[in-house]
Amino acid sequence: MTPETSPAPAPAPPTSTRARGRPSHLAAAQYGIWESQRHAPAVPLHECGVALTLTGALDRLALHRAVARALGETETLRTRFHMTPHGPRRALVPPPLPVLTVTDLRHEADPEAVADARIRADLATVTDLARQDPCAHELFLLGPERALLYFRYHHIVLDGFGQYLYLRRLAELYEAFESGRAPTVPAAVPLERLAADEAAYLRSPQYAEDAAYWHAERSSTAPPDGSGGPDGPDAPPAAEPPDSPGHPAAADGPGIPRRPVAADGHAVPPDGHAAPPGPAVSRTAVLTPHRLGTLLAAGRGEGPAPVGHEAATLIAATAVWSYDRHGGRTGIVVNLPVTARRSRAELDTPAQLANELPLRLAVDPDTSFAALVRHTGVKVREALRHQRHRAVGPSPRTAEPVATPPAPQVNVMTFGALSGFGSCRATCRQYPVGLVADIDLNVYRELPAPNEGRENEEVRTGPGHLPPYGLRLEFRANSHRHRPDDVSRHRRRFLELLDAVAGRPDLPLARHL
């Protein structure tokens, strides 16, 4: 099980050498992560990992070259973070060496289990953002034509979409080097370009429009306890944006006041009595293409499909489940992580730019599921128009009074699924970590095996075809609040409600509860 390190070619020049080593402000999306990690330096709150199981004849030299080139192109993975008298700053550093560690597990009785244990142990350690590289790559050799590529990173440098962009580019580079071709020119831009775009946004009319939208949303749709959400019903909009993301008010996002932070790095609720966030206990379920197609057809009903139909359907289903779970509380909040990317540069560049939007939904037991999906689609569409504004603090799920149940988060990560890595077949496994306030739902695409998912083809979701993939639902619950059998019960009830509304989407919701 001894790691080996193979010499790798020199990495490609960084995308921007002019900014190398020069301190710069953190992106707005990074401040909340920085603050929580700074207040809990020994807690692995934001360590993330993904593992690609590669089946086929792997060209290890091509992989070394691809990793080196990808690191050279991706500035965010070559940053260090420091606290200065003027606030936290980030600076570029050279790529780590070695760029890829190779560990041979082929002599182990169960190499997959050993690799999994090593990954989990690695993710349980905290990255020192000032002294250690924020990412690492390790290749585990499992058997003949079978390997596992593990990519670890700190959440301060990549969000979920950024991870997808990076892995997609890594696969493109590997395929080019494996086939002897020159790789295409990278689409990613330097971090300084993203910083300039963010600064321009903070001074734009769009920023003021977005701030006004979220102020009106909080004021007009306050929860039943009158709290109005974490900022209260009378919180004024941020009329003047801070001069830069480094402004003190930006520690919890632009225009959001600071809140006390507990020892675990999460914001303390106003009354101080809510159960603390805890390590996750997880349960999963898979919606086959057929089952997903039935659900999406039910959510569409007789009207046109709402914007973000897949996400809107799952968010609406979560709202019904939350209504059922909390005894008919009609004002439901569901937190929706979004990419917060609007420009071409943002959409092409791996980075941490994500935001979390509080969707406030009215669940009427006398209306149908299809109507609720349409209502949710409207709310999603409106929220996405204003997704760049930091409407809530870094941990909105933990910043609510105990009188208001914590809002579930629905993270729909269906923007892509990597199925190939050059001539190898790739299977992707996420390792979400960190603490959970109550119960969150992560949603991933699940590519069916060949010839799978074509049963009952009369169930269609578009013009003449089933969805080409299913969905893997991961329920992550706070172990301080929920035992494993509780999570299994919640998962079972959620799936029962899915089947009920998919079977009769025209009935009033009260008939399904």
Side-chain angles (χ1 to χ4, degrees):
M1 207 165 71
T2 303
E4 86 181 44
T5 57
S6 302
T15 308
S16 171
T17 55
R18 291 181 293 109
R20 194 173 184 179
R22 185 174 61 196
S24 60
H25 292 293
L26 276 61
Q30 294 179 313
Y31 273 92
I33 298 172
W34 165 266
E35 284 293 300
S36 65
Q37 191 67 78
R38 184 169 69 90
H39 285 86
V43 182
L45 297 171
H46 303 290
E47 306 296 332
C48 304
V50 58
L52 297 178
T53 300
L54 305 176
T55 305
L58 182 67
D59 185 333
R60 287 164 58 185
L61 177 59
L63 180 60
H64 275 282
R65 296 180 65 193
V67 172
R69 180 66 171 262
L71 283 171
E73 295 176 355
T74 311
E75 287 190 348
T76 191
L77 298 182
R78 298 185 285 105
T79 49
R80 296 283 174 83
F81 299 82
H82 302 271
M83 178 58 76
T84 75
H86 306 289
R89 296 292 185 268
R90 65 186 180 190
L92 294 181
V93 297
L97 291 175
V99 296
L100 176 67
T101 299
V102 179
T103 303
D104 192 345
L105 301 179
R106 289 174 292 187
H107 61 284
E108 297 285 347
D110 190 344
E112 283 87 354
V114 174
D116 180 72
R118 287 177 62 99
I119 290 172
R120 294 183 183 278
D122 184 49
L123 292 172
T125 62
V126 181
T127 301
D128 184 337
L129 294 172
R131 296 178 177 86
Q132 294 178 303
D133 297 308
C135 74
H137 302 73
E138 185 168 4
L139 180 69
F140 295 99
L141 304 179
L142 305 179
E145 298 196 347
R146 186 170 176 82
L148 187 147
L149 178 60
Y150 164 53
F151 172 53
R152 176 191 56 76
Y153 62 95
H154 195 282
H155 200 35
I156 200 170
V157 296
L158 280 182
D159 54 29
F161 188 71
Q163 181 213 97
Y164 161 70
L165 291 176
Y166 179 72
L167 291 181
R168 186 181 67 180
R169 178 59 177 170
L170 185 61
E172 291 173 355
L173 291 169
Y174 174 80
E175 182 178 11
F177 290 132
E178 182 190 46
S179 61
R181 295 183 290 102
T184 58
V185 176
V189 304
L191 292 180
E192 58 186 7
R193 164 72 181 278
L194 298 183
D197 288 351
E198 184 170 78
Y201 165 71
L202 291 174
R203 293 172 173 81
S204 70
Q206 184 63 49
Y207 175 87
E209 180 182 326
D210 294 346
Y213 170 81
W214 288 111
H215 170 60
E217 184 72 3
R218 290 194 299 270
S219 301
S220 63
T221 57
D225 66 356
S227 67
D231 299 306
D234 298 319
E240 296 295 333
D243 290 338
S244 72
H247 189 281
D252 288 342
I256 302 299
R258 291 181 182 270
R259 300 186 185 91
V261 179
D264 59 18
H266 284 69
V268 174
D271 63 1
H273 297 302
V281 53
S282 300
R283 292 290 183 269
T284 60
V286 174
L287 301 183
T288 64
H290 169 69
R291 196 174 184 184
L292 175 61
T294 303
L295 177 65
L296 295 180
R300 184 164 57 246
E302 298 300 324
V307 172
H309 176 52
E310 195 171 82
T313 303
L314 289 167
I315 293 167
T318 302
V320 174
W321 170 78
S322 188
Y323 173 93
D324 178 68
R325 180 185 171 208
H326 295 304
R329 185 169 59 91
T330 58
I332 299 296
V333 177
V334 177
N335 290 316
L336 176 65
V338 293
T339 64
R341 288 165 159 85
R342 300 301 297 269
S343 70
R344 187 72 262 167
E346 292 169 335
L347 289 168
D348 286 338
T349 305
Q352 171 55 266
L353 298 173
N355 197 3
E356 188 170 292
L357 309 178
L359 298 180
R360 299 168 185 269
L361 305 173
V363 178
D364 182 353
D366 294 326
T367 195
S368 68
F369 179 69
L372 178 59
V373 172
R374 288 192 291 273
H375 165 64
T376 304
V378 170
K379 300 293 289 188
V380 170
R381 180 171 61 246
E382 291 175 348
L384 290 178
R385 289 174 181 163
H386 308 284
Q387 64 178 297
R388 292 187 69 181
H389 187 269
R390 305 282 148 179
V392 294
S395 298
R397 288 167 287 156
T398 65
E400 298 185 355
V402 69
T404 304
Q409 181 195 81
V410 179
N411 197 357
V412 183
M413 293 172 278
T414 58
F415 30 72
L418 195 64
S419 60
F421 200 85
S423 60
C424 294
R425 177 175 174 81
T427 303
C428 184
R429 178 182 181 183
Q430 300 288 340
Y431 280 85
V433 293
L435 305 185
V436 182
D438 186 36
I439 299 180
D440 292 344
L441 176 62
N442 288 345
V443 182
Y444 305 96
R445 283 188 179 179
E446 183 87 355
L447 295 174
N451 302 320
E452 181 185 336
R454 305 307 301 175
E455 69 275 22
N456 297 325
E457 293 200 21
E458 69 274 9
V459 179
R460 312 282 184 174
T461 62
H465 64 277
L466 283 167
Y469 53 85
L471 293 179
R472 178 162 51 89
L473 310 180
E474 181 183 45
F475 300 84
R476 304 185 69 235
N478 181 353
S479 57
H480 292 167
R481 288 172 170 261
H482 306 279
R483 299 185 305 272
D485 56 338
D486 293 330
V487 186
S488 297
R489 177 171 51 83
H490 287 305
R491 176 188 59 181
R492 182 169 58 251
R493 180 57 177 155
F494 186 90
L495 296 175
E496 288 173 354
L497 288 171
L498 281 188
D499 288 340
V501 298
R504 290 297 305 272
D506 55 316
L507 290 179
L509 290 173
R511 297 282 297 276
H512 301 302
L513 301 171

